[in-house]
Amino acid sequence: MDIFAFEPGVTNAVPPGPHAGNLDLSELSEGSTLYIPVWKPGSTHATRATAMPCRVMGEICITAIETRMKELQIQVLLHKQKRLEWPVAETDTHWIIMGLDKDLNAAMTLAARNAIKFSRLRRRSAA
């Protein structure tokens, strides 16, 4: 599923990043939630979704087997109090914290830092 939020202008959705983009995340399925940061008033979103019958976690070479979907329903809500810098996914059982970069070492570092920030935000909001 590719969902991205961007400020007006051209944004490339193929490389995933803080804007979400081409997130090939198998956990994004029925009932899951994807939180995407929106940095500027007036930003917009676009949705392009493809079903992938055969997929692993993430995308390294921009190659996948894609097929059409019968139906896709999304609901877009603006949470003004969320302070996210990167996309975060929520399923019935867990949170998925992301770090996205062309360099896999940099992506892992980002994911670790984002997980720490997210844990702190969750702890503050629970208090």
Side-chain angles (χ1 to χ4, degrees):
M1 179 179 295
D2 304 338
I3 301 175
F4 58 98
F6 55 92
E7 57 183 289
V10 177
T11 298
N12 184 351
V14 174
H19 60 282
N22 190 22
L23 296 175
D24 284 345
L25 187 60
S26 59
E27 280 89 354
L28 288 178
S29 59
E30 185 175 353
S32 61
T33 301
L34 178 62
Y35 299 96
I36 303 170
V38 178
W39 301 282
K40 300 216 181 241
S43 292
T44 186
H45 77 283
T47 304
R48 180 183 70 86
T50 54
M52 296 187 181
C54 179
R55 172 174 57 182
V56 295
M57 290 301 300
E59 188 173 278
I60 294 178
C61 64
I62 313 291
T63 302
I65 299 171
E66 297 184 349
T67 185
R68 68 186 187 121
M69 289 186 192
K70 183 176 178 183
E71 182 177 295
L72 171 68
Q73 292 182 358
I74 64 168
Q75 181 179 20
V76 178
L77 302 171
L78 179 61
H79 298 277
K80 293 185 177 187
Q81 301 305 315
K82 296 272 185 203
R83 291 174 290 194
L84 299 174
E85 297 174 20
W86 285 83
V88 173
E90 179 182 11
T91 70
D92 289 340
T93 58
H94 57 281
W95 291 93
I96 303 167
I97 311 305
M98 300 178 207
L100 307 161
D101 194 277
K102 291 178 183 178
D103 179 310
L104 293 178
N105 290 321
M108 188 62 191
T109 300
L110 278 169
R113 288 181 181 155
N114 291 340
I116 292 166
K117 288 178 185 176
F118 181 78
S119 295
R120 288 180 181 154
L121 283 174
R122 295 274 299 160
R123 200 170 344 147
R124 283 185 204 140
S125 65

